[in-house]
Amino acid sequence: EAGVTQFPSHSVIEKGQTVTLRCDPISGHDNLYWYRRVMGKEIKFLLHFVKESKQDESGMPNNRFLAERTGGTYSTLKVQPAELEDSGVYFCASSQWGLGVNEQYFGPGTRLTVT
Amino acid sequence: QQQVKQSPQSLIVQKGGISIINCAYENTAFDYFPWYQQFPGKGPALLIAIRPDVSEKKEGRFTISFNKSAKQFSLHIMDSQPGDSATYFCAAHYTGNQFYFGTGTSLTVIP
């Protein structure tokens, strides 16, 4: 079974540009999460999809970030326009839907560098 | 405000030694405490997890010790091996809420 995949693995952009990150969850996983880790800091929650619906987007830093999950399959996270403080590793994770806590499976992350 | 505080930031242990990583939390609503292991170039992977109704959980060489009154939990790696060298994250969660992660501990096991 394929794991969570993310694309690209690394992106270097200039301040003010736009970047779109993509996450393909494990097939059949209804829950999809986005996280970000700034170097040396904690892994921070950004948002949670259940199928195509945003369940919780309380962690989104500001309106420069837009996440979508059309059709309840893959998800994209767009940053427009990018700022220096957006640099970090963006992780996507997915889990099955059900009562209680379900194990989250993380992708390898996208390292975003804004210069 | 950081919900989960993790220490140390880095740890160097001799092969065969015991590695200990500590975490503390404030929110007593948390009811699930996982530890994740991350190797370079990979995403974090669930290693072991505990709920607050038990004080200890052991899986092979990995043990979580949980102190509910002190609101602390720790990961113990017995007989540490070079292959255990990785970054370890503690986390806390309660149903319907997000996961809160610690800042990570970089473990190096010297042969």
Side-chain angles (χ1 to χ4, degrees):
Chain A
E1 179 185 277
V4 177
T5 58
Q6 293 186 244
F7 182 83
S9 58
H10 196 172
S11 179
V12 181
I13 61 172
E14 293 183 353
K15 176 182 172 181
Q17 290 185 322
T18 297
V19 64
T20 300
L21 313 182
R22 173 171 170 145
C23 168
D24 285 78
I26 293 173
S27 177
H29 280 192
D30 289 335
N31 291 306
L32 188 150
Y33 306 82
W34 283 99
Y35 294 92
R36 177 174 71 180
R37 188 187 187 214
V38 174
M39 187 181 295
K41 302 288 187 180
E42 73 271 30
I43 298 173
K44 213 159 188 180
F45 169 83
L46 297 179
L47 89 160
H48 170 205
F49 283 101
V50 177
K51 296 186 178 180
E52 66 273 13
S53 299
K54 291 177 185 175
Q55 184 79 8
D56 181 356
E57 53 183 327
S58 62
M60 294 288 263
N62 50 61
N63 59 11
R64 294 186 294 103
F65 288 74
L66 175 65
E68 295 180 326
R69 192 183 182 195
T70 307
T73 54
Y74 72 91
S75 175
T76 58
L77 180 64
K78 182 193 290 188
V79 184
Q80 178 183 30
E83 298 288 345
L84 297 179
E85 65 263 26
D86 300 333
S87 295
V89 180
Y90 289 77
F91 291 105
C92 173
S94 71
S95 69
Q96 291 180 318
W97 174 253
L99 295 176
V101 177
N102 292 297
E103 179 178 351
Q104 293 189 28
Y105 296 83
F106 280 79
T110 293
R111 182 175 296 278
L112 175 64
T113 303
V114 183
T115 63
Chain B
Q1 182 187 2
Q2 207 171 319
Q3 296 276 342
V4 179
K5 295 183 179 179
Q6 182 173 348
S7 63
Q9 184 177 350
S10 62
L11 182 61
I12 300 174
V13 173
Q14 293 275 359
K15 178 183 175 182
I18 303 173
S19 304
I20 302 174
I21 305 170
N22 301 298
C23 283
Y25 64 96
E26 285 299 323
N27 191 341
T28 55
F30 290 138
D31 62 4
Y32 179 70
F33 300 88
W35 283 90
Y36 288 83
Q37 180 188 55
Q38 183 188 16
F39 293 107
K42 305 288 186 181
L46 180 65
L47 181 63
I48 185 173
I50 196 168
R51 294 194 181 270
D53 52 344
V54 296
S55 60
E56 186 176 281
K57 183 174 182 180
K58 184 176 181 179
E59 290 184 1
R61 296 183 295 107
F62 300 90
T63 299
I64 300 179
S65 295
F66 187 84
N67 186 329
K68 190 173 181 178
S69 61
K71 292 185 282 187
Q72 295 176 345
F73 59 109
S74 59
L75 176 69
H76 297 240
I77 306 175
M78 312 300 287
D79 187 27
S80 298
Q81 299 296 313
D84 297 330
S85 297
T87 299
Y88 293 81
F89 294 94
C90 62
H93 172 271
Y94 63 88
T95 303
N97 203 274
Q98 60 181 269
F99 279 76
Y100 293 92
F101 288 82
T103 50
T105 296
S106 177
L107 171 66
T108 302
V109 181
I110 301 172

